[in-house]
Amino acid sequence: MVRYIAESEEDFKTLQEPPAAAYLVLLVGGRPSHAFPLRGEIRLGRDKDNAVVVADQKVSRHHATLAPIDNTFILTDQGSANGTFLNGVQIAQPTRLKHHDRLTLGDTTFLFTIGQPDLTPPPEHPAPAPPVPPAATAFPPLAPPAAPAAPFLAEAHMPIWVLVGCMALVIIALLFVLALLLGLFMGSSQLLGWDINTFNSIGLV
């Protein structure tokens, strides 16, 4: 728990107007929780006499100070037991702060801002659903590829002996046609030879 303690009622009224030049923003779970205006030198620690009281057992009674300089502040560790960290690195000497620096004391983290901080949490939007491809809605899913088609005779579920018989008939038919063509060729050759001999015998050739 962190709270800001004003030294008097008059100081508390002053805190409301005008806005401070710099702020310490308490981060809870990584989100901004409370903003503490910084005016003059600010002491941070577990003791109630600090301007910013940090109820954290890892924070020393007088842990660190913030001193104004130009338009920012100087962060100084006051010999704390567990150290003061700036952006994850322990500081060993007074360090000048920059806008959006992170100060860590024990398990408590502050965000240093120059000017009024925005404590509005970002809107939580539900994660958008992944887009559906148009083809997926326009067409049904494709069926798995079919197995290679078997020969047409196999698709008709014909017995193997019928297949062998058909192939034998085709071979016999081809042999018959081949023999017929060969016979015609041989006959033509003999006829042509006879005609030539005839012409020789009669002295025409």
Side-chain angles (χ1 to χ4, degrees), residues 28-32 120-128:
V28 178
R31 294 174 175 269
T120 305
E124 296 183 1
H125 298 289

Side-chain angles (χ1 to χ4, degrees), residues 70-177:
D70 298 333
N71 294 322
T72 183
F73 279 75
I74 296 290
L75 173 65
T76 305
D77 183 80
Q78 296 297 317
S80 63
N82 295 310
T84 301
F85 292 80
L86 179 62
N87 299 321
V89 179
Q90 184 173 0
I91 63 171
Q93 57 188 3
T95 305
R96 187 185 186 99
L97 297 180
K98 300 185 298 297
H99 183 57
H100 278 184
D101 275 345
R102 290 188 177 228
L103 290 66
T104 303
L105 288 67
D107 293 328
T108 306
T109 300
F110 296 93
L111 180 70
F112 174 78
T113 65
I114 296 176
Q116 185 79 30
D118 182 11
L119 300 182
T120 305
E124 296 183 1
H125 298 289
V132 179
T137 57
F139 302 100
L142 298 176
F152 70 97
L153 292 176
E155 289 181 357
H157 304 288
M158 298 183 66
I160 189 65
W161 62 270
V162 177
L163 179 62
V164 174
C166 291
M167 293 178 65
L169 288 176
V170 172
I171 293 174
I172 292 173
L174 290 175
L175 290 175
F176 178 76
V177 172

Side-chain angles (χ1 to χ4, degrees), residues 30-100:
R31 294 174 175 269
S33 175
H34 297 86
F36 303 99
L38 303 179
R39 287 184 176 88
E41 182 172 307
I42 301 295
R43 293 182 298 169
L44 301 92
R46 199 174 71 250
D47 201 291
K48 293 182 179 180
D49 64 357
N50 292 287
V52 177
V53 180
V54 185
D56 184 337
Q57 292 302 316
K58 295 182 180 180
V59 174
S60 299
R61 294 177 63 249
H62 298 95
H63 198 104
T65 59
L66 290 172
I69 180 172
D70 298 333
N71 294 322
T72 183
F73 279 75
I74 296 290
L75 173 65
T76 305
D77 183 80
Q78 296 297 317
S80 63
N82 295 310
T84 301
F85 292 80
L86 179 62
N87 299 321
V89 179
Q90 184 173 0
I91 63 171
Q93 57 188 3
T95 305
R96 187 185 186 99
L97 297 180
K98 300 185 298 297
H99 183 57
H100 278 184

